[in-house]
């Protein structure tokens, strides 16, 4: 029945186009009861043109002499302390009758209110929101995008209580993946509130249904440039493929918030995502596949990351860093499946998928940091490294996104090879989900146990080695299994210095081990001339020079001229994965099986 329902959906053509009315949540979500002891919010938008929202939060005191309010310092899914309280101003406190109360700031993100003899207290404050990113909030004349962690202050003693929000706003509509009761958006606790961004505006809304699960694609900023009907049709195919992939669907309704503001990014939530991009994405095939890839990535997180998660990632400590060594699985494996499931949904050709795989392998193999940091270490240090890259980041660290995706590719091939195609990484994901989704969470060792149960001890050892050591990856077995190879490149005749620089030839990055690094060229140096010939334009301008020759580089360092001799190298070869002409019939079938849903 499930396969037939998905097929019928795809035959039906474009999903229905509609505007989501104010009461859409009432009809599309189960009824909820209002808890009289809930934490309640009232948001008003009189200053929306000035990028501000005014917030009132009310809580019962339960006989306490003081109530302490807290604002998160970070948001789940983005591992950096962002200090949201820096955008809060005008904090005041009142009792239920409106009488002012004493309020004291006791930490950078905490306020304590004197509540002696009061049944309830209210805290009022203003939030400035002009962050056009998926991690913060934006309030503007035409629309607002609210990320809960950056807006809502809460009672530190009662995060587990019902939290509900009432919006008084000038926008045509308000949309969130939360149930509605009367005029309230209702969250069962603070975690659920933070995990449900709110979009206000007039979105171009497309809806579709897969086996009784409702999906909404709500687009703002698309104007007449973004083809929402085409996008919704393809997102429906993607959602059907992902829903069929997992052993169950953990939501009744899922909202894609597609905010087209000429920037990028995506952030996962339990039953929704915020994705930012360009309104011209549907006009360019590569840009459109990139947009679909982000949609695929964030939807996959609804299972892997939001439900199937490391034990450390829930319940959340919103005020402090939360450490895990397993972001290679949460983010890296999701990065493997975002493209793979696009291919299985018929939205990416084999050649395009091989191109995406090539890019991930290139990011791994051309990053010197792979010799110095393991994937487990990269996950643990995300708070201080991945989200705070500098000019030396490529030399000392790795990306758990791209390198984790390559681990997934190699592990998948190893499992399929060891089991003669009977099992795959898909089975690891599903079994881990069955065992550890929800409140349980997983440990690293528990994950490795699942790899062993599905693929055997050798697969466990392989994955542990790739995750916990800096040993070079071996692609031979995986390529033999799928009938792939690295494309053969002719010996480069181009000389290579080994720097990245700005338009005015100021060095921005020097990769470890390159000719420039060995010779002592530094970030901040302005390149002026090679062998007395001034560099023209924003180019490396090494035309006519061969690898192995020496060049005198004239540069300016802190306004002083100096000359450094550099022995030029050979331009690094970029790994490109292609089908091997000599691949066996079995290997070709193995690749076809990988790219085909089962």
């Amino acid at each position: 029945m499930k396969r037939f329902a998905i097929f019928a959906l795809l035959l039906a053509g474009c999903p229905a186009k509609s505007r989501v009315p104010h009461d859409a949540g009432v009809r599309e979500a189960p009824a909820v009861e209002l808890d009289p002891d809930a934490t309640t919010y009232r948001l008003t938008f009189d200053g929306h043109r000035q990028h501000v929202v005014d917030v009132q939060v009310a809580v019962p005191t339960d006989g306490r002499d003081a109530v302490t309010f807290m604002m998160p310092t970070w948001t789940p899914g983005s591992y950096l302390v962002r200090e949201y309280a820096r955008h809060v101003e005008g904090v005041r406190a009142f009792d239920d009758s409106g009488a002012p109360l004493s309020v004291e700031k006791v930490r950078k993100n905490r306020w304590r209110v004197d509540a002696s003899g009061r049944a309830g207290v209210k805290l009022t404050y203003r939030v400035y929101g002009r962050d056009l990113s998926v991690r913060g909030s934006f309030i503007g004349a035409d629309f607002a995008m609210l990320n809960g962690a950056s807006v809502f202050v809460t009672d530190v003693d009662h995060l587990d209580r019902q939290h509900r929000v009432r919006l008084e706003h000038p926008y045509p509509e308000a949309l969130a993946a939360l149930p509605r009761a009367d005029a309230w958006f209702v969250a069962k606790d603070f975690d659920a509130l933070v995990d449900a961004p709110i979009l206000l505006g007039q979105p171009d809304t497309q809806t579709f249904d897969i086996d009784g699960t409702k999906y909404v694609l709500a687009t703002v900023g698309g104007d007449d440039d973004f083809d929402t009907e085409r996008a919704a049709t393809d997102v429906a195919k993607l959602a059907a493929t992902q829903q069929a992939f997992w052993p169950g669907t953990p939501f009744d309704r899922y909202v894609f918030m597609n905010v087209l503001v000429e920037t990028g990014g995506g952030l996962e939530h339990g039953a929704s995502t915020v994705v930012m991009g360009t309104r011209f994405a549907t006009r360019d095939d590569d840009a459109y596949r990139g947009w679909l890839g982000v949609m695929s990535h964030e939807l996959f997180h609804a299972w892997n990351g939001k439900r199937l998660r490391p034990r450390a990632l829930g319940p959340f400590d919103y005020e402090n860093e939360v450490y895990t060594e397993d972001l290679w699985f949460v983010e890296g494996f999701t990065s493997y499946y975002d493209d793979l499931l696009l291919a299985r949904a018929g939205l990416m050709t084999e050649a395009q998928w091989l191109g995406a795989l090539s890019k991930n392998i290139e990011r791994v193999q051309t990053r010197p940091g792979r010799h110095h940091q393991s994937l487990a270490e990269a996950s643990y240090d995300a708070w201080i490294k991945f989200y705070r890259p500098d000019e030396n980041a490529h030399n000392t660290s790795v990306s758990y996104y791209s390198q984790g995706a390559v681990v997934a590719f190699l592990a998948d091939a190893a499992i399929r090879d060891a089991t003669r195609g009977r099992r795959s990484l898909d089975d690891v994901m599903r079994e881990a989900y069955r065992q550890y989704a929800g409140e349980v969470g997983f440990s690293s060792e528990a994950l490795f146990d699942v790899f062993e149960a599905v693929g055997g001890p050798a697969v466990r050892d392989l994955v542990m080695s790739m995750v916990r050591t800096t040993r070079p990856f071996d692609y031979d077995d995986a390529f033999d299994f799928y009938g792939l190879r690295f494309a053969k490149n002719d010996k480069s005749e181009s000389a290579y210095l080994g720097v990245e620089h700005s338009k005015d030839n100021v060095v921005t990055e020097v990769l470890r081990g390159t000719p420039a690094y060995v010779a002592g060229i530094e970030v901040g140096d302005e390149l002026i001339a090679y062998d007395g010939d001034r560099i023209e334009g924003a180019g490396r301008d090494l035309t006519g020079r061969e690898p192995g020759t020496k060049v005198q580089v004239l540069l300016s360092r802190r306004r002083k001229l100096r000359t450094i001799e550099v022995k030029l190298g050979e331009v690094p070869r970029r790994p490109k994965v292609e089908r091997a002409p000599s691949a066996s019939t079995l290997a070709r079938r193995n690749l076809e099986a990988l790219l085909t849903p089962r």
Side-chain angles (χ1 to χ4, degrees), residues 1-7 9-10 210-211 213 215 236-251 299-300 303 337 341 344-345 426-427 429-430 434 596-598:
M1 289 295 292
K2 174 176 279 192
R3 291 192 177 189
F4 176 80
I6 293 171
F7 184 60
L9 166 73
L10 301 184
I210 300 172
D211 281 352
T213 300
Y215 290 86
K237 296 175 184 177
L238 171 64
T241 302
Q242 292 211 14
Q243 192 168 309
F245 177 91
W246 293 99
T249 304
F251 44 80
L299 178 58
F300 198 81
W303 290 269
Y337 275 106
L341 294 181
R344 292 181 183 176
D426 300 0
D427 297 294
M429 304 303 296
R430 293 164 183 152
R434 291 186 187 99
T596 304
R598 67 168 187 170

Side-chain angles (χ1 to χ4, degrees), residues 313-385:
L313 297 182
F316 291 108
D317 179 348
Y318 291 100
E319 298 182 271
N320 299 288
E321 295 92 337
V322 178
Y323 299 102
T324 174
E325 293 186 342
D326 299 315
L327 294 180
W328 57 270
F329 185 84
V330 174
E331 295 291 358
F333 278 38
T334 298
S335 296
Y336 173 66
Y337 275 106
D338 57 25
D339 285 329
L340 184 58
L341 294 181
L342 283 181
R344 292 181 183 176
L347 300 171
M348 180 180 279
T349 66
E350 178 188 296
Q352 290 164 347
W353 182 80
L354 289 175
L357 175 63
S358 299
K359 288 181 180 179
N360 275 326
I361 293 176
E362 178 183 330
R363 294 183 186 115
V364 172
Q365 297 303 123
T366 60
R367 188 160 181 151
R370 74 187 189 280
H371 301 299
H372 306 282
Q373 186 185 53
S374 71
L375 270 174
E377 292 168 338
S379 299
Y380 198 87
D381 282 345
W383 297 90
I384 60 174
K385 287 184 178 286

Side-chain angles (χ1 to χ4, degrees), residues 193-227:
L193 179 63
V194 169
D195 203 29
I198 301 172
L199 176 63
L200 301 100
Q202 191 167 14
D204 184 342
T205 303
Q206 308 278 335
T207 63
F208 53 93
D209 182 285
I210 300 172
D211 281 352
T213 300
K214 297 180 183 297
Y215 290 86
V216 179
L217 174 63
T219 300
V220 295
D223 299 334
D224 294 327
D225 300 299
F226 189 83
D227 187 343

